[in-house]
Amino acid sequence: EYSHWGMMVKAIHAFDALPRMGEGAAYIQYTYPPSGAMMPALACTLLGYRDGIAYLGYAVLIAGLLLGLAAKAGKGAPAIVPLYLCMTAIFPLSILRLFIEPVAALLMALLMMGAWNEQETCTWEDALYALMLAMCKSTGLVFLAAALFVRLFAQRSRAQLKKSGCLLAAGLIGTASYAIYCRVHGIAAVISPSYLAENLRALREGTLDAAYAGLPGRFLDFFLFDPLPQSGVYSSYGFATSAVVMAVLLALCAVHVCLAENRKQALRLWTGVWMANIAYILMIVASYFIGFSPAEVQRLAEADRYTMLVALWTGLLVTALLAHEAGRRPAGRKAALLCAAAALW
């Protein structure tokens, strides 16, 4: 397993501790939050270290989060399984690598489900989801802020503000704890260099590299016209573009609005979700300008991975909410909901 998370699993297992400078693999982003590597490392500790066991631990983590999502779907929980299988058409949750995107998307969906149930209280489980999300990537707090924005946009109430504040506190505590750990052990950031100052200076002087200058148009061209890689690590289409996938998801969100008992609330929820989605995609474009070399920008390195993360958390959320409606509606509506979700396939 060559991913950063795989290397962290190796280091955690080898030293029975979180990674420290000079230990484990030659290249680890030591300040990168470790939550995605903890369950695979535990599995390796219990069952022996090898790739297959690490994948098993990761599969158990994903299955646990999926069961949590099914629980939030209420009476529609049994429908989660066939709908989940349909969802693999958007982003394969089968374990191909230890990349964190499936877990991050499930955590996003779990937290955004709180925007639908007004009676839901802020539980320890939700606090754990918030902490894990904040510590799954270096941008984990951005994901957590997006999920909490959706909750507050959908439910503009003092109660939701209080619940969201508790979840934000959990994420901040997790992030701060690992920052303190890094400080105590003298761990400095091992990240790609920032090209921001250089690019801003070149922009003022009119000497901006062509790769950066053409970035917006090239990303738009990729989004609209480039098929996603077939049977790749991050996505499974060989014919659909990112725009096609997003259009299907948008249509399914509209189906949920039409079938929801409270259509006004459903419309607010999905408006908030798509506002967060657009903001995240714009952040992706900006990140190429800031932290990617000209060669990486020219080929839009891992653009499919980043855009499919947006599709995955949106798809998981609409899947859970359609399942919730299937558990509430008469049998005829259940068939319509399942047909709508099958459109994902």
Side-chain angles (χ1 to χ4, degrees):
E1 169 63 49
Y2 64 83
S3 72
H4 159 73
W5 291 276
M7 294 178 181
M8 286 198 79
V9 170
K10 178 181 179 180
I12 292 170
H13 174 74
F15 296 96
D16 196 24
L18 292 174
R20 299 178 181 137
M21 291 293 285
E23 297 179 347
Y27 176 73
I28 293 179
Q29 295 186 15
Y30 293 94
T31 56
Y32 209 94
S35 70
M38 301 296 281
M39 186 63 78
L42 176 61
C44 290
T45 299
L46 296 175
L47 302 175
Y49 176 76
R50 58 184 184 273
D51 282 9
I53 297 300
Y55 295 150
L56 173 64
Y58 196 41
V60 169
L61 175 59
I62 288 176
L65 294 175
L66 188 64
L67 288 174
L69 193 62
K72 287 181 179 288
K75 294 181 180 179
I80 283 284
V81 176
L83 300 187
Y84 163 73
L85 294 176
C86 292
M87 279 302 307
T88 61
I90 284 188
F91 192 115
L93 291 185
S94 56
I95 305 305
L96 301 175
R97 292 287 183 267
L98 293 178
F99 288 101
I100 199 64
E101 277 71 21
V103 165
L106 278 163
L107 291 169
M108 285 285 289
L110 280 161
L111 290 173
M112 288 190 291
M113 278 290 285
W116 185 246
N117 187 358
E118 295 182 3
Q119 282 72 44
E120 183 182 74
T121 59
C122 186
T123 64
W124 285 106
E125 290 178 12
D126 291 323
L128 179 60
Y129 297 149
L131 187 149
M132 288 182 65
L133 182 59
M135 296 190 67
C136 72
K137 288 175 72 74
S138 57
T139 53
L141 281 177
V142 174
F143 293 134
L144 179 57
L148 298 183
F149 165 78
V150 171
R151 292 171 67 111
L152 290 169
F153 191 88
Q155 292 183 16
R156 302 170 189 178
S157 65
R158 187 182 298 272
Q160 183 60 252
L161 181 62
K162 183 178 179 180
K163 287 185 284 189
S164 296
C166 292
L167 297 176
L168 179 60
L172 290 173
I173 288 171
T175 302
S177 68
Y178 194 62
I180 293 171
Y181 173 87
C182 293
R183 185 67 177 257
V184 168
H185 289 279
I187 298 175
V190 183
I191 58 175
S192 302
S194 174
Y195 296 88
L196 179 60
E198 178 183 337
N199 286 336
L200 289 176
R201 183 175 60 255
L203 188 62
R204 289 195 302 269
E205 297 172 355
T207 59
L208 187 64
D209 189 287
Y212 295 105
L215 172 60
R218 193 159 54 257
F219 188 89
L220 184 62
D221 186 70
F222 152 78
F223 190 84
L224 294 175
F225 305 115
D226 286 1
L228 295 165
Q230 188 172 12
S231 301
V233 172
Y234 312 113
S235 51
S236 57
Y237 282 117
F239 61 92
T241 66
S242 299
V244 169
V245 174
M246 297 298 179
V248 171
L249 286 172
L250 189 60
L252 287 170
C253 294
V255 169
H256 176 254
V257 171
C258 293
L259 297 177
E261 186 175 18
N262 188 338
R263 295 184 180 181
K264 185 176 180 181
Q265 184 185 353
L267 184 60
R268 285 201 307 269
L269 168 65
W270 291 118
T271 301
V273 168
W274 285 99
M275 288 172 66
N277 289 353
I278 292 170
Y280 181 71
I281 290 174
L282 292 176
M283 188 186 81
I284 291 171
V285 178
S287 71
Y288 281 105
F289 191 79
I290 295 170
F292 286 77
S293 68
E296 291 174 314
V297 173
Q298 185 64 42
R299 59 185 174 88
L300 289 177
E302 302 191 76
D304 59 314
R305 172 188 173 191
Y306 300 139
T307 55
M308 283 300 96
L309 176 56
V310 173
L312 182 56
W313 75 50
T314 305
L316 285 168
L317 181 60
V318 75
T319 298
L321 289 174
L322 286 172
H324 172 76
E325 292 299 323
R328 189 180 63 82
R329 295 282 184 173
R333 289 294 180 89
K334 289 183 181 181
L337 287 167
L338 290 174
C339 289
L344 290 169
W345 185 257

